[in-house]
């Protein structure tokens, strides 16, 4: 089980690193900037997960595997860049794949640490979205998770599959992890293709019942000496 988890974690690191490097190429960053985005996108979510679990130092910093995978993925993205006619499509595809892999691996690790299933699902979601959020912020973009698209929802759906397998005491967790990653990837891909998104806050506000304006008649000012109301416009 440990080998499977480690493989999924490294796979998520690789695909997220590719998405980070692709965004670096899109913004014409130098080779160092591309490498930074590759490492951040590939490891920020897992580092956030490990720090919140108290598993320090984080897995990304406790060995050479994650760093090497991130940098190699970034380098391959640079070398393959001339063959990519459009960068937007591969960025979204690799991002969706990384989201699914990290969501299930984060949830599984949280359950292994004895967290409540609901909390484990939330931590799995944070693991999935963490790298993409920091990657987007570094290039001054609004993170995808805040743009109404089915991003965090897809991660939660994948995490929920892993949690369901744990709650139902299924004999093997590997099929549920694979199923959760596939479900997350499918929802994310469908939302990109079909334009599915969560409703905007201003649209929700438009459907709320509006308050009726009540006119309150103000009392006329009272003369302190006479006690009579003053007429408006009286000198």
């Amino acid at each position: 089980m440990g080998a499977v988890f480690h493989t999924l974690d490294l796979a998520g690191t690789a695909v997220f690193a590719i998405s980070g490097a692709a965004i670096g190429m899109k913004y014409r960053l130098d080779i160092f900037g591309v490498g930074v985005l590759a490492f951040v996108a590939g490891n920020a979510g897992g580092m956030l997960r490990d720090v919140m679990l108290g598993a320090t130092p984080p897995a990304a910093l406790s060995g050479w595997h994650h760093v090497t995978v991130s940098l190699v993925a970034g380098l391959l993205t640079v070398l393959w860049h001339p063959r990519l006619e459009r960068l937007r499509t591969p960025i979204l595809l690799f991002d969706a794949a990384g989201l699914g892999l990290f969501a299930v691996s984060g949830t599984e690790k949280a359950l292994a640490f004895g967290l409540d299933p609901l909390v484990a699902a939330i931590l799995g979601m944070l693991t999935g979205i963490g790298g993409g959020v920091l990657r987007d912020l570094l290039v001054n973009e609004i993170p995808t998770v805040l743009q109404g698209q089915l991003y965090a929802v897809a991660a939660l759906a994948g995490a929920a599959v892993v949690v369901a397998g744990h709650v139902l005491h299924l004999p093997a967790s590997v099929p549920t992890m694979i199923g959760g990653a596939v479900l997350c990837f499918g929802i994310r891909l469908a939302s990109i293709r079909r334009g599915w998104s969560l409703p905007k806050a201003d649209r929700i506000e438009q459907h709320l019942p509006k308050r009726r304006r009540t006119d309150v008649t103000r009392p006329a000012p009272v003369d302190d000496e006479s006690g009579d109301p003053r007429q408006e416009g009286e000198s």
Side-chain angles (χ1 to χ4, degrees):
M1 179 58 203
V4 174
F5 174 82
H6 189 62
T7 301
L8 288 176
D9 207 39
L10 287 177
T13 298
V15 293
F16 254 139
I18 292 174
S19 75
I23 284 190
M25 297 297 296
K26 171 185 172 183
Y27 282 93
R28 302 180 65 83
L29 301 183
D30 60 21
I31 190 67
F32 179 78
V34 171
V36 168
L37 281 182
F39 178 80
V40 167
N43 296 281
M47 293 172 67
L48 174 66
R49 171 201 65 203
D50 291 346
V51 169
M52 295 183 71
L53 288 174
T56 53
L61 303 179
S62 60
W64 57 270
H65 302 88
H66 289 79
V67 176
T68 303
V69 166
S70 301
L71 296 181
V72 169
L75 179 61
L76 290 177
T77 305
V78 172
L79 296 177
W80 291 343
H81 169 61
R83 301 180 183 181
L84 300 176
E85 297 180 359
R86 299 178 182 177
L87 276 177
R88 177 173 173 78
T89 300
I91 289 173
L92 292 175
L93 288 177
F94 284 116
D95 183 75
L99 181 69
L101 291 170
F102 267 138
V104 298
S105 66
T107 305
E108 184 66 27
K109 189 166 186 176
L111 291 171
F113 270 72
L115 267 64
D116 179 81
L118 177 60
V119 178
I122 294 174
L123 187 56
M125 177 200 70
L126 292 175
T127 305
I129 69 177
V133 168
L134 190 53
R135 175 202 64 204
D136 294 343
L137 290 176
L138 285 176
V139 293
N140 201 28
E141 285 187 358
I142 298 176
T144 307
V145 70
L146 301 180
Q147 297 185 41
Q149 301 179 16
L150 298 183
Y151 196 79
V153 172
L156 274 175
V161 174
V162 178
V163 168
H166 175 79
V167 172
L168 296 174
H169 302 289
L170 296 182
S173 58
V174 175
T176 57
M177 292 177 67
I178 295 175
V182 170
L183 176 62
C184 176
F185 180 79
I187 293 175
R188 181 72 186 120
L189 190 61
S191 70
I192 295 171
R193 300 269 178 158
R194 300 180 178 273
W196 294 346
S197 63
L198 296 175
K200 304 289 185 182
D202 55 351
R203 294 183 182 177
I204 297 177
E205 185 181 7
Q206 291 174 3
H207 291 82
L208 294 177
K210 296 181 179 179
R211 277 199 228 167
R212 294 184 179 179
R213 184 178 175 182
T214 56
D215 295 328
V216 179
T217 306
R218 293 185 177 181
V222 178
D223 189 345
D224 292 338
E225 296 181 359
S226 62
D228 296 331
R230 295 180 185 174
Q231 296 297 327
E232 200 172 320
E234 195 177 65
S235 57

